[in-house]
Amino acid sequence: MTDCFQSRAPLLEVDGLSVDYGLKGVLSRAIDGVSFVLRAGQSVALVGESGSGKTTTAMAVAGLLSPNARFSSGEVRYRGNRLPIDNDAGMRPHRWSETSVVFQGAMNALNPVHRIVKQIAEPCIMKLGMSRGEAAARARELLELVGIPSDRGAAYPHELSGGMRQRVMIAMALACRPSIIIGDEPTTALDVITQAQILKLLAELRSQLNLALILITHDLSVVVECCDRVMIMYAGRIVEDGTVAQIFDKPKHPYTRLLIESIPNPASGKRIIRSIPGDPPNLVNRPSGCAFHPRCPSAMAVCTTEIPRLDTVGGERVACHLHRSLALDDKVAAHA
Ligand code: SF4
């Protein structure tokens, strides 16, 4: 990956992570051999359709998977130390203080019967051992940081607009001074103007606090606003991983290309938005070979039998047989 973060030490290393979900005795593989590195200050978007594995990947890192999740292989390291991701109690000290999450739908995530200052102060008391007075002062400071006047801290969630509630969620996520923020579709329920304001706020906080950001989204247009890098996921695997410029200017994977073509572009004058044919794969009975082959306009015979490897091609990673010979060229050049 050729970006300005390359020289910094890894903050987070996800190495060959595979997670299954058990349901009524049947196991389905939600993510399969996911590997990536995240550095301080870097922002990466996890993009894909429902069931692509983006939320499972991010929640595995945060130690917030549902009880029916099973880690079948791989590990996650934070600042070089292995995280006990398969141990709920072991992950408790890491949650919120190293990695925290801004959930979508703030109205559901906030407690309707408590004032917002109390809700932001709570993790400061529990995790940082602050007194009630210190925690309330920290909560008011955080409200100002996310653009809410501190005297609004006495409000209940229903007294705030959707955008302000989402700002409160961001303040709560920052309470224990984490170095990684995960945004789980943080702007999904908001109108476009408020969405732009929240994305701008996330981008500003990231640079001000040197935060790393993992943004989960199915909306590629959101990515351009606040990410350096994009990882496209399909059927639980990363299929393309590059900088925003690489992904948008010259997407290599056919799925990425189709995702980009499905973004509405009023400037183009086209009235028809292209959709991706077919349905996302059934993870209990996934297609053989490349899981995208039943929907891929470029599929070849090899695609039905052989799973493409995630290879480095021209400075980014891509998993597609169309690029296999270029990946081999890159390998030879690297060893020359
Ligand atoms: Fe399409 Fe084959 Fe590439 Fe899969 S490996 S994306 S089916 S060309």
Side-chain angles (χ1 to χ4, degrees):
M1 185 74 43
T2 52
D3 60 40
C4 60
F5 298 95
Q6 191 65 51
S7 57
R8 299 186 192 171
L11 193 57
L12 184 79
E13 293 164 276
V14 177
D15 194 358
L17 196 63
S18 298
V19 174
D20 298 320
Y21 286 115
L23 191 64
K24 294 182 181 165
V26 178
L27 279 184
S28 64
R29 177 137 300 186
I31 58 171
D32 192 17
V34 168
S35 298
F36 67 93
V37 169
L38 184 71
R39 296 168 202 277
Q42 193 176 28
S43 59
V44 59
L46 295 178
V47 180
E49 294 164 295
S50 298
S52 59
K54 55 192 190 303
T55 302
T56 299
T57 301
M59 293 306 143
V61 164
L64 289 171
L65 285 180
S66 58
N68 65 334
R70 304 272 175 278
F71 290 95
S72 67
S73 66
E75 63 178 49
V76 177
R77 294 182 292 277
Y78 176 80
R79 296 192 194 278
N81 299 313
R82 186 176 179 160
L83 290 176
I85 47 173
D86 52 353
N87 178 339
D88 185 53
M91 276 302 284
R92 223 166 276 155
H94 303 277
R95 269 185 223 127
W96 309 117
S97 38
E98 291 168 0
T99 302
S100 70
V101 184
V102 179
F103 292 102
Q104 57 175 298
M107 198 58 197
N108 300 329
L110 291 169
N111 188 327
V113 298
H114 290 303
R115 298 180 196 279
I116 56 168
V117 72
K118 184 175 179 206
Q119 299 192 52
I120 301 170
E122 203 68 28
C124 304
I125 296 167
M126 307 287 289
K127 290 276 185 181
L128 303 179
M130 288 182 173
S131 68
R132 292 206 170 276
E134 286 167 341
R138 166 99 180 122
R140 284 193 289 272
E141 196 182 285
L142 286 163
L143 281 173
E144 294 282 348
L145 184 68
V146 298
I148 299 178
S150 56
D151 57 4
R152 295 290 281 142
Y156 290 95
H158 73 272
E159 295 174 309
L160 302 176
S161 67
M164 282 176 102
R165 285 196 293 266
Q166 206 57 20
R167 285 172 191 263
V168 172
M169 292 298 297
I170 295 171
M172 283 176 73
L174 295 173
C176 299
R177 304 186 178 94
S179 38
I180 302 171
I181 293 275
I182 295 172
D184 180 10
E185 308 257 12
T187 59
T188 296
L190 304 173
D191 62 77
V192 282
I193 294 176
T194 314
Q195 175 175 311
Q197 289 167 348
I198 295 295
L199 292 175
K200 185 166 174 268
L201 173 66
L202 279 173
E204 284 167 1
L205 290 171
R206 184 167 75 84
S207 98
Q208 197 178 333
L209 306 173
N210 197 29
L211 290 167
L213 173 71
I214 299 175
L215 185 72
I216 304 169
T217 183
H218 61 274
D219 182 354
L220 264 176
S221 57
V222 161
V223 170
V224 187
E225 304 288 334
C226 59
C227 290
D228 313 305
R229 182 174 149 206
V230 190
M231 289 196 296
I232 307 287
M233 295 195 70
Y234 191 82
R237 297 193 180 109
I238 296 171
V239 295
E240 187 160 5
D241 172 14
T243 63
V244 169
Q246 284 166 333
I247 296 291
F248 280 86
D249 296 347
K250 252 189 168 177
K252 289 188 167 62
H253 197 281
Y255 177 58
T256 313
R257 263 203 294 276
L258 290 172
L259 275 181
I260 291 171
E261 284 172 16
S262 67
I263 302 173
N265 180 4
S268 72
K270 286 186 197 159
R271 293 191 176 191
I272 298 168
I273 299 170
R274 212 172 147 189
S275 63
I276 303 176
D279 297 312
N282 177 349
L283 296 181
V284 177
N285 188 15
R286 68 172 65 228
S288 58
C290 171
F292 189 56
H293 85 255
R295 307 169 74 187
C296 180
S298 312
M300 307 167 282
V302 64
C303 305
T304 62
T305 55
E306 215 176 291
I307 298 173
R309 290 163 39 122
L310 185 61
D311 282 318
T312 301
V313 181
E316 63 166 296
R317 298 191 298 168
V318 63
C320 174
H321 292 306
L322 290 173
H323 300 279
R324 200 160 55 166
S325 60
L326 291 173
L328 285 173
D329 289 350
D330 273 17
K331 243 182 228 165
V332 171
H335 288 96

